[in-house]
Amino acid sequence: MVEQFVGTWTLTASENFDEYMKALGVSFATRQMGNMVKPKLVISVNDGVISMKSESTFKTTEIKFKLNDEFDETTADGRQTKTVITFENGKLVQKQSWDGKMTTLEREIQEGKLMARCVMDDVVALRTYEKA
């Protein structure tokens, strides 16, 4: 159930995120900021619409979506993507496509923590969030 993701989550650990941003084509200056910020992830569900808000001192972004429905997303680093989010095997799986490229972000709850696995080609970053 998506309900297990609902709440406010704080980033506590980030592995290989700079390499992941490089693989996405994110500029050096934006990567510097991306590596420094510890965003809060606020997830809520209202009438079947899921809201995922990432809040930091650098930038706040929010997406609202229904599972399995493609939507247009402007990412924190400025990419315009076609995004679809599905719920598979207990994971929220977010697929972003742009300019013939694709990245996948898998979020799942493990031992009470929200684990986000970001995959671009052969680069994998792992970000760990704890409930605030």
Side-chain angles (χ1 to χ4, degrees), residues 12-98:
T12 56
S14 183
E15 296 164 41
N16 214 31
F17 194 58
D18 190 58
E19 288 303 312
Y20 172 72
M21 287 189 291
K22 258 187 218 164
L24 291 178
V26 176
S27 72
F28 179 73
T30 304
R31 288 202 326 268
Q32 294 291 92
M33 290 305 297
N35 283 320
M36 285 190 322
V37 296
K38 296 260 188 269
K40 262 202 293 224
L41 192 58
V42 183
I43 301 175
S44 59
V45 181
N46 190 3
D47 285 339
V49 176
I50 301 168
S51 161
M52 216 181 282
K53 186 190 275 192
S54 175
E55 301 177 341
S56 73
T57 48
F58 176 51
K59 193 173 227 174
T60 293
T61 58
E62 181 176 21
I63 54 175
K64 290 188 176 184
F65 58 92
K66 285 189 168 170
L67 291 175
N68 310 313
D69 285 2
E70 186 179 78
F71 61 96
D72 293 314
E73 179 182 1
T74 300
T75 64
D77 55 43
R79 286 172 294 126
Q80 301 286 331
T81 67
K82 290 277 183 206
T83 300
V84 67
I85 299 179
T86 55
F87 189 70
E88 301 165 39
N89 305 323
K91 298 179 186 177
L92 276 175
V93 180
Q94 178 176 4
K95 292 192 167 143
Q96 299 173 332
S97 318
W98 76 104

